[in-house]
Amino acid sequence: MATNVGHGEGDLAVQSCKDQLYALTPEENIHCQHGLYFQDGQRRVDYVLTYPVKKPGGGRSSRQSTHLLTENAVARSLRRGVHSRGIHSRGEHPRHHQAQRPKDSSSLPSSPVADEDHKAFRREEFEGKLRDTGLELEKDEDTKIPGVGFVKIHAPWTILCREAEFMKLKMPTKRVRPTFSSLSLYLYKISSLVSKVLEPLHPHVEEHQPKNIKHLSHTFSREKQHLLLGSGVYTAAYPLHDVIMQPDTVDCLLQLLYEEWANYSVFYKYQPIGLVRKYFGEKIGLYFAWLGLYTQMLIPASLVGVIVFLYGCATVDDNIPSMEICHPRNNITMCPLCDRVCSYWKLSTACGTARASHLFDNPATVFFSIFMALWAAMFMEHWKRRQMRLNYEWDLTGFEDEEDHPRAEYEFRVMQKSLSKDQKSQHKVEKLNYQDRLPAYMTNIVMMLLMIGVTFAIVFGVILYRISTKAALHMSSNPTTRNHVQLTVKTTAAIINLVVILILDEVYGAVARWLTVLEVPKTDKSFEERLIFKTFILKFFNAFTPIIYIAFFRGRLVGRPGSYLYVFESYRMEECAHGGCLMELCIQLSITMLGKQLIQNNLFEIGIPKLKKLIRYIRSKQGAFQEEERQKKLQRYEADHFLEPFAGLTPEYMEMIIQFGFVTLFVASFPLAPLFALLNNIIEIRLDAKKFVTELRRPVAARAKDIGIWYNILRGVAKVAVIINAFVISFTSDFIPRMVYQYMYSPDGSMHGFVNHTLSYFNVSHFQEGKETMDPLQLGYPVEICRYKDYREPPWSTTPYEISKEFWAVLAVRLAFVIVFQNVVMLMSDVVDWLIPDIPKDISLQIHKEKILLVDLFMKEEQGKVHILESRTSAVGKENCSSGNNNNSTMAHQRSGLHTNSTNSF
């Protein structure tokens, strides 16, 4: 619900806002509320429902009414099944109630008027069923948006207290300050000193919460339940945003977020995660906390990546293989790169490519790959610790996921199956079994394979584009065009891949949702997890298939001169440049990563919500006004109606997970990836913050103690990254061939002669008929022997063109390196995991101490009650005793009187 029960940052700010609001004059009060309160100016609007309204004759109806709404969870889960507390209290099963809706819906009248009347009846029925729980409702059909009516809902304090008990929210019972041992106190002083140094990086919101004070909290006990809102009866449901005032005015919570979070000028500051959680809920707070930690962890990775890149720049002139290629006396003649139109070329013309390849293919990249694997492990461990600290600060340490009720679609399918079975037998079907879902599962498998096949087909199409374009450019009469064939083909192909990736991302997202709907998952949690898994698989293949092809397959399926491998008998498979495919891999990776971040993650996130908002304004016939004037006239609940509905955190997590893949999976070929990711995330945090504050409707606050399935995906990507980087270093770069040559074949143990060692010989007279070059004298002399990059026997050998023993030696070392690298790095990652505890020691000690203090507090309270009870009991006893003594003395006096009288009489 929009109104949160609890404590934390921003409480004082909200109270200040209310105090200043009620201190205004009636006219100023109405102007300040901007639709945040009921007409009485006292009851705050916690939630809003919208529905279509017909205005007869184009006029406006001015009727407003106040009702009572009896829905305990309307503001939290209006999209769930109708399970009213009254039904449960009578012992009826919720499914019987839910079955009424589909049956009624199936008998809806077909005419539009009857349909509208039926929806109006269902709205009245819904409100009637919600009358007993105490939520207050006010309708407003006299709005500035034609055809839209609003139901404003207010939750009184008694309802909030009851909901807090249902949700097991923790309430503060006693303030405590943390205690420290001597060592902990010393570390705390150091931490305080560091905090003072970093004070300029913190947002100006911390003064609203006392330092080093934590409330002892204890949970309530009862469970909450859920209701279903009929589809089409209401058009929208959302809690309201606060009103963002002008500077130096009312200090509301949203105003603080707008100034200290959703502002590009504070990009260098930490995020006010406490305020984010207070306003949007724990689930969104955890996302931004995770994104903030991920961005912070990218800083050391970026620094190391820049150092590796600078090392490559500094050592490029000392790289012996590059010097041999670029040497003026280099007279090595290379074989043609394509059939017919390509001619022989000098190896020295590849000098620029060889020098550029050294920037990313040097011994430092091996170190960087190991560092990034350990970095990923440390990031995961630090996030677990950060998550645990947030759970402690947000009183979620004892929170358990609630029982997730069945989705309405699932219940409807169960009801359909039950009805079909009831016609044959009286047996009640309680759930969908494997046979019911088998067609959906088969459809999922087939469609997933088909979509992955589409990705492979597009990559294959880009391969054909590169082959044909290269041949066409070699036929050009322009010398400049012929000299830059490789760069032109690589860059344009990478851009084509980027455009296709952006398009297919949207298609695959829709396909994944459709396939998940077909499965009819039982709960919302199951639906979300299945949707995330399918979307991730499809988008992962979409983003990384072109990169995987360049890294591991290009240049390895080409054959040799005189026996090349052809596609469709006319397209010769493409080769890598002499510097290897690592440079092209770097180009593809950088263009894809930067393009996705700039276009998809930033421009789309800015442009699409604004475009949709404009379309809604135009459809509502409000487009003729200027936006500022329109915003001044609209109430808050009317303005929020035009905002983009919150679609969940899946898109936000997905783009960051894909970026995490770019940073870790192929980091050996692109050391600058962490730097570009860092720069993007600095903008992304403020962009997402601004989107949540100003562009999206306020999400319904959701509780969560972790990031769910995303953590498992992150761990999986980190494990796969170790394997992929091992293969990139071993098979894509020249690191292993250089080591083998230096320690096994070099005469003097240096790299001199390495280039010549990696080149094989070919007799040009052995070309296939019709495949030889059309211009054999382009170099000015006839060529008899040309060279090509491979480990094969020379033509004068007894086994010409067969794979040489050097090839097998290099392959053996490559495979050995993969095994050793993978096991060593994973072992080091496990050591890091073991060394860093999941729960910070101070948090575990404080939790233990708070449990003891809570027990002591409750014991003292019970002792106090017992003492009061004993005091009252003793007081009553004394009163009874004194009254008894008085009675005894009276009786004794009476007896003595009687005795005296008897004596006197005697």
Side-chain angles (χ1 to χ4, degrees), residues 855-897:
V855 172
D856 292 342
L857 180 65
F858 292 151
M859 290 296 294
K860 289 180 180 178
E861 183 180 359
E862 292 298 325
Q863 291 174 0
K865 291 180 180 179
V866 171
H867 180 69
I868 294 174
L869 183 61
E870 290 177 349
S871 300
R872 292 177 179 177
T873 303
S874 62
V876 172
K878 289 180 180 180
E879 291 178 359
N880 293 337
C881 183
S882 60
S883 61
N885 292 334
N886 292 335
N887 292 334
N888 292 335
S889 61
T890 303
M891 292 177 62
H893 180 68
Q894 291 176 351
R895 286 176 185 149
S896 66

Side-chain angles (χ1 to χ4, degrees), residues 75-241:
R76 293 194 314 277
S77 52
L78 283 167
R79 57 190 178 85
R80 301 207 174 180
V82 177
H83 299 273
S84 67
R85 281 188 238 282
I87 292 175
H88 284 272
S89 63
R90 293 191 301 268
E92 300 174 13
H93 197 277
R95 186 176 299 135
H96 299 159
H97 184 70
Q98 290 178 344
Q100 295 292 336
R101 292 194 179 275
K103 184 180 295 185
D104 295 342
S105 300
S106 62
S107 60
L108 289 179
S110 58
S111 64
V113 176
D115 183 66
E116 290 297 327
D117 292 340
H118 181 80
K119 289 181 178 179
F121 172 77
R122 291 184 66 182
R123 281 195 296 271
E124 295 298 330
E125 180 186 18
F126 178 70
E127 295 166 7
K129 290 180 180 179
L130 303 175
R131 189 168 290 116
D132 295 334
T133 55
L135 295 181
E136 299 174 2
L137 178 144
E138 182 179 87
K139 286 187 176 179
D140 185 4
E141 296 181 357
D142 185 21
T143 67
K144 298 179 179 62
I145 306 177
V148 179
F150 294 87
V151 179
K152 296 177 285 185
I153 301 171
H154 169 71
W157 175 253
T158 56
I159 303 300
L160 295 179
C161 292
R162 186 188 65 198
E163 288 305 308
E165 185 173 355
F166 291 142
M167 297 174 63
K168 294 185 178 180
L169 291 180
K170 290 190 175 183
M171 65 176 185
T173 58
K174 181 182 179 181
R175 287 187 174 186
V176 294
R177 293 181 180 271
T179 58
F180 304 96
S181 62
S182 57
L183 178 60
S184 300
L185 183 61
Y186 177 73
L187 296 177
Y188 174 74
K189 291 181 179 180
I190 296 178
S191 177
S192 301
L193 179 61
V194 174
S195 299
K196 289 182 180 180
V197 175
L198 299 178
E199 184 66 27
L201 301 181
H202 290 277
H204 300 297
V205 296
E206 300 298 329
E207 64 270 14
H208 296 288
Q209 184 176 7
K211 298 288 185 180
N212 301 326
I213 289 181
K214 176 75 166 59
H215 290 84
L216 288 179
S217 303
H218 191 259
T219 58
F220 292 85
S221 60
R222 289 191 291 175
E223 297 290 340
K224 68 173 184 178
Q225 299 162 357
H226 307 276
L227 298 181
L228 170 69
L229 181 63
S231 137
V233 177
Y234 295 99
T235 57
Y238 50 89
L240 292 184
H241 280 294

Side-chain angles (χ1 to χ4, degrees), residues 30 34-35 55 60-61 64 140-150 616-617 619-623 625 629-639 641-642:
I30 294 175
H34 285 281
K55 306 283 187 182
R60 290 184 177 179
S61 174
Q64 295 180 350
D140 185 4
E141 296 181 357
D142 185 21
T143 67
K144 298 179 179 62
I145 306 177
V148 179
F150 294 87
R616 279 191 290 270
Y617 275 130
R619 287 180 177 178
S620 65
K621 302 178 182 179
Q622 299 288 322
F625 300 97
E629 294 297 324
R630 182 167 56 239
Q631 292 289 351
K632 290 179 181 178
K633 294 181 179 180
L634 292 178
Q635 299 290 336
R636 178 74 260 182
Y637 54 86
E638 296 172 326
H641 179 71
F642 292 108

